[in-house]
Each structure stands twice: as C-alpha cells, then as structure tokens.
C-alpha cells in the first residue's frame, strides 16, 4: 500500500498510461480523482474503482482546469499527488507539419501541462506534495517524424526542472516521467499513420536493446515511485522508462 490514503489526480486518466496508473494506484491504496475528455470511458473506469471520482475537462482551457481543481478540492479536500498524462499523438516531420498542427501540439502538451502544473502547485502550497509530468524519451533525444511532439516534450522536461527549483521551498516535488515507445492505442495510431507501418515498427524496435516496446503498466510503476514517499528526496529529475532506447 505505497500510496495508502494519498489523494491523487490523474489527467488523461482513460489513456493507456493513465488508465494503467489508475488501476495500479488504486491497488496501492490511493484516493483517486480522474480527468479526461472521454467522459463515457472515464465514468466507467471510475465505477470499476469504487470511491474514485471523475470530471471531464480540457487541459487547454484555463477555466475548465480551474473547475477541475475546484472539484478535486470539494471531493478530496486537497491533493498529495498529480500524474499529468494528457496528450495527443503527432507524427509529422518538419516539411509535412502544418502551422495549425504545430500550434495544436504545443497547446495540448505545453500549455496544458503549464495549466495543470500551476493549479496543482497552488493547491499544494501549504501541504506539499508530488507532481509527475509526462514527457517522452523524444524530449531528451532528437528523433525523425514527429518534430512538434519532440519539441513539446523537451519543453515539458525543462518546465518540470524549473518548477522543481521554484517549488522545493514549499516541499513540493516535481519530476518528469519519460517513457519510450509504449504499447498503447496512441502508439498504434502513430505507427499506422506511416506509409509503411510494418517497416516503421521494425525500424523502431531495432533501437530498443530489450527488443520490444514497453507496457503502460511499466510506465505506471515509474510514476508510482515518484508519487510515493520512497522518492522523498527526488525532485527536478527525469525518470526514463524506455527499454534502453536512450542508452547510446
């Protein structure tokens, strides 16, 4: 029961990593609040985890994010931890990426992360807590075929480090989870956007020393560590869960 009694918010709670984290955290004793745009799926998941709350909110909308955290305050009385996983897929290279697509990726990944981080920090000022932002191994190393996504994820890494420096005096820890390619619907969508999905998948797997993609549960365990008291002296860092992809 590594999260026993801890009040945890998960954004993107119906996504691959978000749902895996919800199930894992629930089993570890957390009191959960889930948020996602997929209201139907979110409510079903909350019903499967008795006592879990759900509220549909767009992370890009500051008003909806304020409402979300207001609901968290009302239902849970505060927060001990946040896992921010909300995001969208992006599989366009430099020459094919439109200005509209670039702006949308930045809005969801950077603005959305900023709005969630700001609201979470404000709620934790008096109590302290742990905030885990989700970036990617693509936010650490360059990669072809997803320029806007890579740039946004790199921004999240620096945002997390900067916030950790500012919030340490309040006993608020901020860390960034950086998964490699993870077997989720978003990964499959990304691969299937390629002209030759089979060739792309084979090429991607060649870059993973373990010879496979990760699972959502494996990333969720990384987030569990960062939200638990086991990581009480860990802040401003990136936890890479990528099967060795960034090793060299």
């Amino acid at each position: 029961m590594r999260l026993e009694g801890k009040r945890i918010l998960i954004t993107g709670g119906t996504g691959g990593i978000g749902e895996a984290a919800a199930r894992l955290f629930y089993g570890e004793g957390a009191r959960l609040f889930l948020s996602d745009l997929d209201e139907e799926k979110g409510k079903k998941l909350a019903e499967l985890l008795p006592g879990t709350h759900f509220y549909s909110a767009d992370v890009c909308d500051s008003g909806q994010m304020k409402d979300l955290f207001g609901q968290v305050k009302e239902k849970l009385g505060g927060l001990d931890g946040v896992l921010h996983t909300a995001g969208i897929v992006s599989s366009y290279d430099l020459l094919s990426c439109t200005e509209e697509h670039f702006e949308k990726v930045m809005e969801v990944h950077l603005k959305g992360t900023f709005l969630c981080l700001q609201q979470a920090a404000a709620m934790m000022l008096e109590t302290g807590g742990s905030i885990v932002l989700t970036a990617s191994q693509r936010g650490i190393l360059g990669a072809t075929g997803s320029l806007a996504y890579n740039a946004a994820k790199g921004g999240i890494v620096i945002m997390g480090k900067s916030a950790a420096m500012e919030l340490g005096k309040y006993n608020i820890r901020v860390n960034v989870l950086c998964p490699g390619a993870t077997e989720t619907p978003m990964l499959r969508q990304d691969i299937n956007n390629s002209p030759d999905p089979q060739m792309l998948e084979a090429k991607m797997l060649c870059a993973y020393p373990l010879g496979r993609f990760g699972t959502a549960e494996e990333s969720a365990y990384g987030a569990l560590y960062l939200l638990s008291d086991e990581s009480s002296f860990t802040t401003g860092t990136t936890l890479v869960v990528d099967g060795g992809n960034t090793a060299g």
Side-chain angles (χ1 to χ4, degrees):
M1 303 295 281
R2 296 160 71 187
L3 297 178
E4 187 169 9
K6 289 189 180 294
R7 301 160 297 179
I8 307 291
L9 168 66
I10 303 175
T11 67
T14 70
I17 293 175
E19 181 177 348
R23 294 176 183 274
L24 176 62
F25 297 174
Y26 184 82
E28 293 287 345
R31 298 170 57 198
L32 291 178
F33 201 114
L34 309 179
S35 181
D36 202 290
L37 284 177
D38 192 333
E39 188 168 1
E40 181 180 356
K41 189 174 179 181
K43 288 182 176 179
K44 286 181 179 178
L45 179 58
E47 289 174 1
L48 292 173
L49 308 173
T52 296
H53 303 280
F54 176 82
Y55 186 81
S56 180
D58 183 349
V59 296
C60 304
D61 188 304
S62 60
Q64 291 187 39
M65 291 303 286
K66 287 179 182 177
D67 291 342
L68 167 62
F69 279 83
Q71 287 292 312
V72 170
K73 182 71 172 178
E74 179 182 326
K75 302 295 185 183
L76 299 183
L79 276 175
D80 301 297
V82 172
L83 172 59
H84 179 65
T85 71
I88 58 173
V89 70
S90 173
S91 52
Y92 295 95
D93 61 18
L94 173 63
L95 297 180
S96 62
C97 183
T98 65
E99 182 178 354
E100 291 75 18
H101 179 74
F102 186 88
E103 289 177 347
K104 181 62 177 178
V105 171
M106 293 299 159
E107 183 180 39
V108 173
H109 287 283
L110 280 182
K111 180 183 176 182
T113 298
F114 160 71
L115 292 175
C116 180
L117 176 60
Q118 188 177 61
Q119 290 289 329
M123 187 171 287
M124 294 178 177
L125 287 178
E126 296 183 3
T127 61
S130 176
I131 301 170
V132 179
L133 309 178
T134 305
S136 167
Q137 103 278 25
R138 291 187 180 185
I140 299 173
L141 297 177
T144 60
S146 52
L147 184 96
Y149 182 88
N150 303 349
K153 292 299 188 179
I156 291 173
V157 170
I158 295 302
M159 191 186 303
K161 289 179 179 292
S162 301
M165 294 178 69
E166 292 186 13
L167 299 174
K169 62 186 176 182
Y170 301 108
N171 197 31
I172 299 173
R173 298 185 295 111
V174 184
N175 292 288
V176 183
L177 182 69
C178 291
T182 304
E183 194 58 71
T184 63
M186 187 177 288
L187 174 68
R188 284 296 140 196
Q189 181 183 346
D190 194 23
I191 290 175
N192 290 335
N193 281 341
S194 165
D196 190 339
Q198 265 191 322
M199 185 177 74
L200 175 60
E201 182 168 348
K203 181 181 177 182
M204 290 173 67
L205 285 171
C206 285
Y208 285 81
L210 292 184
R212 64 176 177 84
F213 296 140
T215 68
E217 289 74 18
E218 287 168 327
S219 289
Y221 270 107
L224 171 62
Y225 167 70
L226 294 173
L227 288 168
S228 75
D229 292 337
E230 295 167 8
S231 62
S232 56
F233 198 58
T234 302
T235 193
T237 192
T238 54
L239 177 59
V240 182
V241 184
D242 74 343
N245 176 256
T246 57

